[in-house]
């Protein structure tokens, strides 16, 4: 467990450097994790000055936070580390400093007082006349008078200038109702307005929630002032100063505290205690306010005689065995009550606190068990809101029961699996020092283990809820279909945790307008139907945000998100926001905090830099071979047609892999539905050909119905204009097209509409195909513009992600397409097409594939494949680098096929390659195909996937391929930055030692073990921190690496204990030449153990120990074995702690080490003159 001083230091850093919004979120997370109680949470806000907007006592706040964090270290360390990581995020999250305050939105929703709620009761509009309402109110007033009188201090002064108490009861309501202007109201609406004016006037005059009867000198009631708007009233309440810190000590005589000075608006899920200090030295009273959501608050005055003090002072630093203070208790104990309401929630008496002892550590201390709370009743839903919820469910059910293409959701939906992705903090030498998180790339075997179905999307697997969820998936994988399925599930009784589901299609949102508010976003721009009483529904949404699910589909169309977090919506009523600002406010929980937000986007596009802030990342999987077979069977009713269609797909290997994309699988089935099953027509061999033939068939079907051909060249122009803004939405000036062309686009599934008001392109594939058609065939597009939109311009910054990737494939495919489309009227001349083709070929010939990143290299493979030109394919293979790396580029089945297809040309060119497939998620079938290529002499792939490949080949009795796969596998150099890397290496070492695969039924004996283990020469251990478990695993593995020549252990905070373990295995590394132990914390004790082993390291040529904690004793031990290290050529001990004494010892040993060529030993503890003198004596001592 971390020491208190270490925890205090880290907490102090958060308090000093964090933006107030981040600090508020940090405190809220600690409260939700039950690190401290709600009262303690409220007291922390007293460390800020709301008028100045700055923290006035940082050290006090840091110490108040550090103690509970230290006491509950296991629960709070992850929250603290997350806050520390957020401090280093690029400046972008917050712009201006604001005072630390609770969420103002929740404050606004808390009723000002219980009697104000009574006057503004929700059933007020249901009364037919004011008289009926007065009669009902009179009955309630009489009931209140019958109860015990409640004494509340008011800010009133008597003749002596001293403050007095005034007795208030329900009779004050009768005084209010005696007002003639209220009795003269002729309607309920007029009465409501009069009541509002009365309360706002009183609030503006006295800032007191108690109605006081006042009379002027003439005995008449004063004239009412002009009412103050409620918005300003809310602002005043938010700016009120926090109450002074409550103390356990008795107040001095004469001190006064008033109820009106106490801020009762803090939205805490616990109980709020406030001391009421009397004028005299009488015992202090406690005012207890149970806050339960937005229900009417109850105030209870209790005597302090039966209870101890409210708070105890937080110690500056805890003593050994100290326990948490009283206010850190997770449940507030109510000692006594004068109210029946409060007595119902009174827990049992608190247990006797455990006395701290020297033998009891914080880890041994266990807090008293918390009594179970009765489940809060579900808030009653108003009838009009309930009716609208049912209308919303019915609307979503009718809308999403049919999928795109007219297929029924229940019969044709394929429940594809989802992969739970995770983020980790970067580690290793090259990791960003700001604790930046990165998305872990899973291997194929890890993906299979991490798969979940759609029922787990909103499941909380850990202690924290998941209010921010992201679904990733490439174009056409079915993100929108999954979301529609979730909406349909909710409409039919599923997802019962949500009462409202708002689905927003970003393709139809106008992100340029700035006249939206949250209500318009939810009820106007979403797929929700019209709501007659939207105010009531919106009010219920604000009051129950945890019951609301908001979905942003096709988030890529929301535009560039640079600066998104700096400009976000902060008000739920302001109507001057853009869609992006409203999204930012929801994303950062500045508005409607507590709602669940689901965002669907492509992995290459807009949301990438925000992924580190979400709570759950899910990636949708492509179709498996079984899914393809099942989908085809759903598209064809007759068994003969099913068999024929499936046979055609399987015979065309490219199309079969292309069908792993659900949308392209639907395109393929559409083609097969139009063809005669008995025909032997081959399916398309490229993506360009597939989209062109699908469009041809749609237009032919339309022409047969209409009896005339339709020219869609204008649609091509529109597609290009929308592409330039990375948007699927048709621009406003583009909607002035003919109704005939618009109907054609809708009937051919090129376009889609939203609420019959907004039109957009239905799919990225079809939009980019039309845009490419315009670029290739338009006379207004020259060669330079065409080249700028392709992968050939590899220095161009790609800002549109997958938009650009698909477009450039279509451009290359259309330029080399044999058949000319018949549906575009304004075609360019043959000579213009030839010029564009020639320009692109020249760019291809001058391109250097070795300079491309793995992702762009993969796109180049696709572009060349789309041309269907063998000459271009051979030219590409000829210029490929020998070490072919796709590391980091996720490979789908169709990607693997394209690479495999082009590499087959290497045999005739006598080219061989070493291919790197790490971090590619390459499927097992694709890995098998690539490894089987004769031009692949070696490959690197995830360890578990490689073992699965070996077991699969052995299971299929393919011993020749198994031997080739064993011989081709390499892992040199091996880099370990996670514990799983060492686990996988340990598994390979185990197979190598036992010469047997881990399959239970496997009887295969590997005579030579695993060559990759035997030939491993370099191992880099890059954890960047001290991980005892990982280092112990490494020590167990090292003796099996008989050929290891380079062991790099730099910058891992290794101490003397780790150095001692390493010394125990150095003798087994007979081939070791380079040992790097730099930038660790090895001291004299560790150096003493290492020196004994280094003397026997007969092959060691370079030893680096710079940046450790070696003092004179350690330097002396190293000097004693230096002459015995005959093979050592270079020794680096710079930046250690030895003085001139240790330096002289090393210098003397250097005279007896003739083979040593250089010694670097400068540090601040060695006088410069001494070092210069030693350098003069032996020039092998290098200068600093």
């Amino acid at each position: 467990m971390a020491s208190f001083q270490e925890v205090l230091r880290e907490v102090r850093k958060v308090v000093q450097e964090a933006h107030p919004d981040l600090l508020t979120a940090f405190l809220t997370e600690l409260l939700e994790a039950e690190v401290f109680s709600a009262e303690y949470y409220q007291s922390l806000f007293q460390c800020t000055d709301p008028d100045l907007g700055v923290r006035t006592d940082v050290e006090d706040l840091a110490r108040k936070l550090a103690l509970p964090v230290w006491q509950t270290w296991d629960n709070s360390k992850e929250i603290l580390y997350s806050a520390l990581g957020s401090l280093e995020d690029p400046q972008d999250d917050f712009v201006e400093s604001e005072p630390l305050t609770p969420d103002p939105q929740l404050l606004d929703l808390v009723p000002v007082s219980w009697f104000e709620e009574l006057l503004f009761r929700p059933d007020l509009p249901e009364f037919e006349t004011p008289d009926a309402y007065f009669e009902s109110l009179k009955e309630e007033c009489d009931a209140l008078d019958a109860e015990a009188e409640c004494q509340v201090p008011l800010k009133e002064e008597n003749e002596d200038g001293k403050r007095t108490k005034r007795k208030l009861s329900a009779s004050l309501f009768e005084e209010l109702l005696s007002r003639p202007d209220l009795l003269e109201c002729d309607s309920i609406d007029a009465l409501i307005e009069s009541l509002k004016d009365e309360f706002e006037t009183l609030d503006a005059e006295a800032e007191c929630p108690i109605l006081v009867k006042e009379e002027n000198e003439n005995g008449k009631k004063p004239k009412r002032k002009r009412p103050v708007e409620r918005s300003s009233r809310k602002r005043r309440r938010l700016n009120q100063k926090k109450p002074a810190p409550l103390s356990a000590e008795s107040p001095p005589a004469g001190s006064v505290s008033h109820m009106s000075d106490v801020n009762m608006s803090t939205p805490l899920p616990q109980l709020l205690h406030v001391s009421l200090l009397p004028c005299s030295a009488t015992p202090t009273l406690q005012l207890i306010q149970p806050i339960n959501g937005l229900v009417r608050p109850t105030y209870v005055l209790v005597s302090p005689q039966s209870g101890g003090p409210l708070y105890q002072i937080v110690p500056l630093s805890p003593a050994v065995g100290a326990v948490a203070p009283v206010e850190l208790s997770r449940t507030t104990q109510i000692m006594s009550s004068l109210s029946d309401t409060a007595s119902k929630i009174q827990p049992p008496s608190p247990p006797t606190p455990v006395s701290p002892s020297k033998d009891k550590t914080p880890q041994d201390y266990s807090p008293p068990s918390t009594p179970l709370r009765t489940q809060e009743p579900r808030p009653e839903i108003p009838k009009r809101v309930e009716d609208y919820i049912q209308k919303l469910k019915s609307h979503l059910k009718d809308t999403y029961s049919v999928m795109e293409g007219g297929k029924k959701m229940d019969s044709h939906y394929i429940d594809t699996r989802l992969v739970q992705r995770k983020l980790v903090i970067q580690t290793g030498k090259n990791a960003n020092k700001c604790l930046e998180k990165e998305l872990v790339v899973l291997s194929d075997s890890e993906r299979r283990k991490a798969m979940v179905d759609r029922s787990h999307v909103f499941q909380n697997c850990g202690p924290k809820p998941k209010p921010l969820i992201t679904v990733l998936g490439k174009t056409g994988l079915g993100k929108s279909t999954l979301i529609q399925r979730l909406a349909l599930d909710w409409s039919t009784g599923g997802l019962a945790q949500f009462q409202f589901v708002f689905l927003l299609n970003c393709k139809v949102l106008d992100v340029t307008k700035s006249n939206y508010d949250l209500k318009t976003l939810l009820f106007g721009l979403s797929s929700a139907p019209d709501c007659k009483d939207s105010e009531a529904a919106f009010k219920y949404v604000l009051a129950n945000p945890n019951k609301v699910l908001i979905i942003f589909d096709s988030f890529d169309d929301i535009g560039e998100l640079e600066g998104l977090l700096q400009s976000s919506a902060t008000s739920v009523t302001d109507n001057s926001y853009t869609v992006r600002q409203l999204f930012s406010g929801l994303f950062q929980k500045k508005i409607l905090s507590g709602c669940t937000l689901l965002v669907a986007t492509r992995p290459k596009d807009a949301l990438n830099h925000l992924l580190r802030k979400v709570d759950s990342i899910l990636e949708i999987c492509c179709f498996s071979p079984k899914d393809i077979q099942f989908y085809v069977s759903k598209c064809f009713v007759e068994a003969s047609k099913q068999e024929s269609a499936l046979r055609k797909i399987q015979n065309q290997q490219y199309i079969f892999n292309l069908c792993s994309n659900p949308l392209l699988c639907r395109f393929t089935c559409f083609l097969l539905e139009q063809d005669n099953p008995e025909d032997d027509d081959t399916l398309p061999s490229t993506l360009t050909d597939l989209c062109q033939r699908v469009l041809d068939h749609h237009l032919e079907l339309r022409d047969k119905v209409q009896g005339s051909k339709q020219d869609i060249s204008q649609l091509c122009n529109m597609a290009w204009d929308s592409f330039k803004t990375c948007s699927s939405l048709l621009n406003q000036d583009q909607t002035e097209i003919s109704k005939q062309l618009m109907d054609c686009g809708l009937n051919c599934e090129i376009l889609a509409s939203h609420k019959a008001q907004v039109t957009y392109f239905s799919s990225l594939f079809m939009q980019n195909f039309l845009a490419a058609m315009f670029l290739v065939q338009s006379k207004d597009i020259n060669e330079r513009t065409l080249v700028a939109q392709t992968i050939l311009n590899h220095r161009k910054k790609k800002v549109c992600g997958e938009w650009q990737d698909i477009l450039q494939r279509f451009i290359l495919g259309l330029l080399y397409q044999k058949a000319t489309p018949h549906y575009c009227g304004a075609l360019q001349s043959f000579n213009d097409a030839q010029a564009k083709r020639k320009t692109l070929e020249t760019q291809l010939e001058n391109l250097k594939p070795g300079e491309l990143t793995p992702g762009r290299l993969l796109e180049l493979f696709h572009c060349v494949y789309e041309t269907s030109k063998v000459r271009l394919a051979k030219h590409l293979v000829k210029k490929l680098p020998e070490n072919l790396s796709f590391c980091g580029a996720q490979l789908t089945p169709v990607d693997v096929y394209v690479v495999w297809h082009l590499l087959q040309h290497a045999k005739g060119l006598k080219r061989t390659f070493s291919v790197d497939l790490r971090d590619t998620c390459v499927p097992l079938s694709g890995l098998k195909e690539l490894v089987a290529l004769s031009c692949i002499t070696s490959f690197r792939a995830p360890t578990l996937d490689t073992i699965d490949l070996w077991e699969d080949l052995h299971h299929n009795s393919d011993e020749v391929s198994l031997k080739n796969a064993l011989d081709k596998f390499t892992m040199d150099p091996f880099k370990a930055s996670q514990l799983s890397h060492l686990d996988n290496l340990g598994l390979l070492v185990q197979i190598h030692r036992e010469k047997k695969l881990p399959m239970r039924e496997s009887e295969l004996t590997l005579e030579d073990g695993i060559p990759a283990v035997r030939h491993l020469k370099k191992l880099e251990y890059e954890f960047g921190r001290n991980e005892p478990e990982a280092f112990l695993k490494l020590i167990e593995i090292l003796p099996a690496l008989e050929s290891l020549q380079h062991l790099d252990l730099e910058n891992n905070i290794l101490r003397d204990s780790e150095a001692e373990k390493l010394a125990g295995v150095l003798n087994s590394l007979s081939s070791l030449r380079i040992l790097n132990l730099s930038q660790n914390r090895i001291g004299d004790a560790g150096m003493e153990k290492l020196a004994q082993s280094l003397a026997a390291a007969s092959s060691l040529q370079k030893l680096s120990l710079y940046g450790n904690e070696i003092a004179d004793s350690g330097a002396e031990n190293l000097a004693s074995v230096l002459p015995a290290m005959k093979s050592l050529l270079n020794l680096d001990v710079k930046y250690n702690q030895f003085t001139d004494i240790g330096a002289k010892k090393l210098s003397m040993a250097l005279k007896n080490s003739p083979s040593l060529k250089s010694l670097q030993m400068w540090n601040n503890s060695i006088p410069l003159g001494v070092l210069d003198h030693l350098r003069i004596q032996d020039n092998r001592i290098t200068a600093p």
Side-chain angles (χ1 to χ4, degrees), residues 709-721:
K709 292 186 177 181
Q710 177 66 51
D711 180 14
I712 63 169
S713 56
Q714 188 178 359
L715 278 179
C716 296
N717 192 358
M718 294 163 57
W720 167 240
D721 288 340

Side-chain angles (χ1 to χ4, degrees), residues 13-25:
K13 181 178 180 182
V14 174
V15 174
Q16 289 175 341
E17 301 178 13
H19 184 277
D21 288 350
L22 174 62
L23 184 55
T24 304

Side-chain angles (χ1 to χ4, degrees), residues 218 302 425 482 847 873 888 980 1055 1113 1143:
N218 301 326
V302 297
I425 296 177
L482 170 66
L847 191 62
S980 60
R1055 297 182 172 88
S1113 175

Side-chain angles (χ1 to χ4, degrees), residues 13 18 29 132 138 185 220 247 356 377 381 385 391-392 456 500 634 746 904 957 1007 1034 1088 1092 1098:
K13 181 178 180 182
E29 287 190 26
K138 180 65 170 60
C185 294
K220 297 180 181 180
S247 173
I381 305 177
V385 177
K391 179 180 179 181
L392 176 60
H456 290 75
F500 280 92
K634 292 291 185 180
L746 293 172
Q904 285 184 322
S957 302
E1007 298 179 358
L1034 175 67
E1088 180 182 1
Q1092 300 172 6
S1098 57

Side-chain angles (χ1 to χ4, degrees), residues 467-516:
L468 296 178
I469 306 171
T470 300
V471 176
L472 302 178
K474 291 188 174 182
T475 300
L477 283 186
K479 301 182 295 297
S480 298
T481 306
L482 170 66
I483 286 174
Q484 293 169 9
R485 180 74 238 192
L486 291 173
L488 186 61
D489 290 342
W490 176 76
S491 67
T492 55
L495 304 179
Q497 66 268 39
F498 301 117
Q499 292 177 350
F500 280 92
V501 173
F502 298 104
L503 200 163
L504 293 117
N505 185 355
C506 295
K507 290 183 178 181
V508 305
L509 300 181
D510 189 346
V511 297
T512 61
K513 291 184 178 180
S514 58
N515 59 347
Y516 300 122

Side-chain angles (χ1 to χ4, degrees), residues 37 49 177 245 442 559 584 599 647 703 840 985 1023 1127:
S37 66
D49 189 337
L177 297 181
L442 304 177
S584 178
V599 182
R647 183 179 65 252
D703 293 345
L840 288 180
L985 179 59
F1023 276 72
S1127 61

